[in-house]
Amino acid sequence: MPTVSQTTFMNSGRELTEALQAASPQAAIREPANAALVSETEGRHGIRLPSDMAWFYRSANGMNWPTEPEHGWIRIWELELWRRIREDPDLGNVYEDLGDAILMADPCDESWWYAADFSRAPDVLTIHLVDGERPAKIVARSFTAFVNAALADSADIYPDTQAAG
């Protein structure tokens, strides 16, 4: 299993899962999602998971608890919790241009959320930070980049310091 210090170059679903486990409390990583659940989620949202994200979910259906604070304090949601921004009463009217993006992760205290935008092209993904108060911020251009940024506790995964509102 890789150590957290090796996570900068993780790129397969199995490696991402192992790196997240190394940076998280025991039993944080959920059991894998079966192919039927992955397919049902894609159908429900009218999307196709990029290969790195599909590999991850076939290795682990999200997380029960977030990573440790020094590794982003991020919890990646199980597929059953995914919902579109437009379905969220606090976010839908704020981010109309990202209404079809899917909320899929949060920091441990849900003070903001991460939304995956699958609308650009097949196997292309951008992940945005949304909090209902500031403009959406692109934090990663792939699922792998998002996980690596979280594990490195990169400033990119946090809201900009500009005032909200």
Side-chain angles (χ1 to χ4, degrees):
M1 179 182 308
T3 64
V4 175
S5 63
Q6 296 170 318
T7 60
T8 307
F9 303 105
M10 299 298 113
N11 58 18
S12 77
R14 170 66 75 206
E15 290 172 327
L16 291 172
T17 302
E18 290 175 354
L20 284 164
Q21 182 60 57
S24 303
Q26 187 173 9
I29 302 299
R30 297 174 56 85
E31 292 295 317
N34 62 39
L37 178 58
V38 172
S39 180
E40 184 274 326
T41 300
E42 289 177 326
R44 178 169 39 107
H45 292 291
I47 60 168
R48 180 107 177 121
L49 297 182
S51 57
D52 61 341
M53 189 177 245
W55 290 334
F56 170 78
Y57 277 97
R58 288 186 182 110
S59 297
N61 186 15
M63 301 171 69
N64 292 313
W65 299 284
T67 57
E68 297 292 344
E70 64 272 15
H71 299 292
W73 220 5
I74 300 295
R75 183 177 68 92
I76 299 170
W77 297 355
E78 58 267 31
L79 294 172
E80 297 89 341
L81 293 182
W82 283 18
R83 65 185 184 276
R84 294 193 182 277
I85 286 179
R86 68 176 140 82
E87 296 167 353
D88 188 290
D90 296 325
L91 300 174
N93 293 329
V94 178
Y95 302 104
E96 291 179 13
D97 58 327
L98 282 174
D100 285 332
I102 297 170
L103 298 167
M104 46 72 69
D106 65 86
C108 91
D109 61 0
E110 291 192 18
S111 52
W112 62 79
W113 300 267
Y114 298 98
D117 183 2
F118 297 87
S119 68
R120 306 215 186 281
D123 224 33
V124 174
L125 175 75
T126 53
I127 298 180
H128 302 257
L129 182 150
V130 295
D131 66 3
E133 298 179 13
R134 297 172 187 87
K137 173 187 173 183
I138 295 176
V139 297
R141 298 198 181 275
S142 73
F143 183 71
T144 298
F146 172 69
V147 171
N148 284 321
L151 291 171
D153 200 28
S154 168
D156 294 340
I157 66 167
Y158 294 100
D160 290 334
T161 56
Q162 69 190 32

